Amino acid sequence: MGKKQLRRVDLIFANDDDYLQILKKSLDIPTEEIINEMINSGLKGRGGAGFPTGLKWKLTGESKGKQKYIICNADEGEPGTFKDREILTQVPYKVLTGMAVAAKVAGATKGYIYLRGEYRFLVPLLNKEIEKFHVLCKDAGLDFKVEIFLGSGAYICGEESALMESMEGKRGEPRNKPPYPTEVGYMGKPTVINNVETLAHTFTILKYGAKKFRDLGVQDSRGSKLFSVSGDTPIPGIYELELGMTVQDFVDDFSDGDCKAVQVGGASGFLVPRKRFAETNIGYQGKLTGISLPTGGSMMLFNSSRSMFNVLDNYLDFFQEESCGQCTPCRVGCQQLVKGIEAVKRGDKPASYLDKLLKLTDTMKYTAKCGLGQSVANSFQSIVENFREEMIY
Amino acid sequence: MSKMINLTINGIAVSIEQSKTVLEAAEKLNITIPVLCYHKDLCIAGNCRVCVVEQIGSQKLIPACATPVFEGMEIQTNSLVVRNSRKHIIELLLSEHNADCTKCYKNGSCELQELASEYKITNSDFIDLVPLKNYKYDDLSPSIIKDDSKCIRCQRCVRTCNEIQHLSALEVAYKGDHMKISTFAEKPMNDVVCSNCGQCIIHCPTGALVEKNYIEEVWDALGDPNKHVVVQTAPAVRVGLGEEFESKSGDRVTGKMVAALKRLGFDSVLDTDFSADLTIMEEGTELLTRLKQALVDGDKKVQLPMFTSCSPGWIKFVEHTFPEYLNNLSTCKSPQQMFGALAKTYYAQKRSIPAENIVSVSVMPCTAKKFEANRPEMRDSGYQDVDYVLTTRELAIMIKQAGIEFNNLEQDNFDKLMGNSTGAAVIFGATGGVMEAALRTAYEIVTGREVPFKNLEILPVRGIEGIKEASILIENPVDDWKFLDGVELKCAIAHGLENAHQLMTNLKNGKSEYHFVEIMACPGGCLGGGGQPIPTSPEIRKKRMEAIYAEDGAMPLRKSHENPEIVQIYKEFLDKPLGHKSHKLLHTHYTPRERY
Ligand SMILES: Cc1cc2nc3c(=O)[nH]c(=O)nc-3n(C[C@H](O)[C@H](O)[C@H](O)COP(=O)(O)O)c2cc1C
Ligand code: SF4
Ligand code: SF4
Ligand code: SF4
Ligand code: SF4
Ligand code: FES
């Protein structure tokens, strides 16, 4: 059987020198048309929850309020991912264009780039770009100013409502939803918050039209997406791939030849074991990846020498530490999961204790306040169910 | 009226105003949903998650306390998934919790314990996380004990100290498994910007924040045949204590309280209301003197407005956050401390008891008074003026320990000599009360006539509004006070330190100008104090307030200067308000403090 080649895409990092025209042209298109284009493109958020971007802009536009905000989420906290940093370094104007168009659609005059503290070194470059951008906006008749806000360093501050709390000078703790940011966001005002990559994709749509974007991908997962490939692969790095590919195709391209499982979507994602490679699509609708692709689009390959117990233990340790700690199921649940699998491994708890922990992750999924606590179940359940024996012996 | 929303809970239809929550809708149907982080006094946090319910059509459970209703919503509060989740959450809380209930001060009155008991958490096999934690226990403050091993991190205390008291002495620190409630740099409670008001205590669902109790010390004194133990009771205690014995909030139990104190073995059961009347004499005179110095003598050093000084939580708040206003505080001690200083001087002499044999106990609605009694300045009698301060709650504990059936007690009367009082004193327990009492007396001193309000009820200074303003025009004063003719005396009242902060900020910015300002640290005044029965809520405070004014209305004397024991003490001992002896025993000074 011949090996199917993956469709690598080269849209995001393509250096378009027609930025100025695209921005001008886009700002001339009536709001309704832009919203339709965005919705027709099928673009969904690349930062976490996978919410349709066009709809988000539309809802914010419809929310009552004079003051509205556009925030670009550049907190990029998922370990080992740096695709947003690359976008901001190489094609910042695409992100700014997206923000400007969002501002027009939503009726916002102020925007922020919430930049991960560690990316401080990008500030001079970005500020220069923003200065240029302000002139263009002014020429195009758009009253819109963008400012950089440096993040505080906690992973949870990437969660949109915690991010807004932290911008307001409060402790970065996720808020209750509803209300959503489209209604009650930064400073209590309607706010569009989009991931860096999402905004960069809007440039592609503005430039080439919805169809070109929509032609990539399958069903509910349209377009391309940046993936950070790591683990047991000879070619780690950032790749722009078409959505909807199977894990098998992905492994064929990236594995070192010995791959027993792939973690799709980082710590908050799912582990796909070899027997499921062929039937699992990578996207918003895949059989296993039924939820959105978490932040980094991280793809980690594991070969047969890897202990899945260690993999899970590391993820859980990460959550135990990075949980903001406010809600019971997440704060205490994570501690119980870490201590629990370690106790089973040591033989201090019977193997059946894993079933109690599986039920606990269901509770966490149903009751945790934000995406962090809710998604711990993803890796836990998919690893424990597929590699139970590695948890015990 | 706002729009009505129709929904069903457990299949029962209910309609409720838009913007209300699922929890409130359930309440309307008499369906109880358990809560821990939710409190009627505070903004919604939605962090404990015990209130989760099922919303048909939603993949996740929703927190009832934090979810607004919408049209057509279908809620299940007792489905299998809800029960299992809720039980998990309680189990998780207990796994982080040092649950030695039988040795816990909150045993029997703890919301966590109650939930654990309701859900019969008897076979949890989650791992005990307590040994892995480095929990701190802080009992260095004379008012408050903070025991992190009992904390469920609901942040009610954090919201209380921030929203109601403006101090943020308690904050959330760290994240993940290390997340905890902490003071600045984890300093002990008595080293930070804490007013000792105890509001965090009455909002804490568990034993993590409790008053430092002096129950055993008081029992020891009562059991010592060589000691003469006197007790004074603050005005707000008599309208709260009943709640500890399952009577309705707002029941007045003055007579029973006195009877219970006598049965406990106190040698003399006296009334802080007596010294509240005395406070009015001293503070009223101080105000008039300050006005004279400012208006007639043109003395630039005299500070106006004058602030009341009866609330030790407020005093400490000023010392920390507005030290530049210390000279605006009345130099009068609080009624508790005036009483204490007199118990070991005037009372000792009159009763011919050596002062060193007197143990002076007070029962207060307040935890800040514990700190106040321990101030080094409060030893003007030559001894510690007040030896032990008990809260309303501690008194209730002692009554129960003594096997006294409170509800069946016959009413009794306060003993004589510092046991007599007027209606003006009892209203000290409500916000606006000191102002009203002061006006009743000061106006009469200045004009020779009663305040021009029906029944002496100065309604503009009453009520639960956060900041109240009132003014009273002085006309035709008697000769001594002619200079006040036509002066409009401007007053303001605030309760809760957040409101106090706002009032102070307005003053500082020159946005408002007053002659006399009353401030109480706790919401509603002392009746909502940090030492009062738990729970508290806006409705409960309202009931207690009604009781306070009813008590005033029922008193034969309603003006402090008419209290015969007050007339007597000036004649026999103090000479005159602001006189030499008053100065030594009844007045004090204040100390600027750091703000962290
Ligand atoms: C724990 C957690 C961390 C997150 N971190 C990020 C992040 O670093 N960057 C990001 O864009 N979105 C992050 N998100 C997702 C955001 O909450 C939000 O969904 C996203 O910014 C919306 O933008 P999008 O619609 O363009 O995806 C995180 C979510 C959670 C629950
Ligand atoms: S789920 Fe975790 S991170 Fe999210 S609010 Fe709860 S404790 Fe914080
Ligand atoms: S705080 Fe409550 S649950 Fe905890 S030990 Fe005390 S009584 Fe028991
Ligand atoms: S101290 Fe009490 S009120 Fe504060 S978080 Fe802990 S349990 Fe809640
Ligand atoms: S006693 Fe009052 S001031 Fe002190 S921490 Fe508690 S609420 Fe804050
Ligand atoms: S009571 Fe609703 S989340 Fe705590």
Side-chain angles (χ1 to χ4, degrees), chain B residues 521-539:
Chain B
C522 288
C526 305
L527 58 88
Q532 289 284 64
I534 301 171
T536 184
S537 72
E539 296 93 78

Side-chain angles (χ1 to χ4, degrees), chain A residues 154-156 171 173-174 176-179 319-333 335-336 339-340 343 349 353 356-357 359-370 374, chain B residues 44-49 52 59-63 66-68 81 84-86 88-93 95-96 123-129 132-133 152-153 155 172-179:
Chain A
Y155 172 66
I156 193 60
R171 183 181 153 85
E173 280 186 357
N176 290 301
K177 291 178 221 168
F319 287 128
Q320 163 178 275
E321 206 168 299
E322 292 303 331
S323 150
C324 80
Q326 70 163 313
C327 80
T328 314
C330 174
R331 180 189 67 250
V332 197
Q335 296 173 60
Q336 286 296 345
K339 300 332 179 255
K349 288 271 187 194
Y353 190 64
K356 169 141 187 158
L357 295 180
K359 284 198 192 119
L360 173 62
T361 55
D362 271 338
T363 293
M364 291 168 72
K365 183 159 77 183
Y366 300 143
T367 64
K369 187 167 175 177
C370 87
Q374 288 160 7
Chain B
I44 289 164
N47 60 31
C48 75
R49 315 305 276 184
V52 286
Q59 288 182 338
K60 309 216 162 67
L61 300 181
I62 58 162
T67 309
V81 56
N84 288 340
S85 301
R86 215 175 259 165
H88 259 152
I89 288 167
I90 301 167
E91 274 185 75
L92 288 176
L93 285 173
S95 77
E96 253 190 337
N123 55 352
S124 174
D125 53 359
F126 280 132
I127 292 166
D128 181 9
L129 300 170
L132 307 171
K133 307 258 173 188
I152 57 167
R153 298 153 181 83
Q155 302 189 34
V172 180
Y174 312 115
K175 60 183 165 55
D177 49 335
H178 297 292
M179 184 271 208

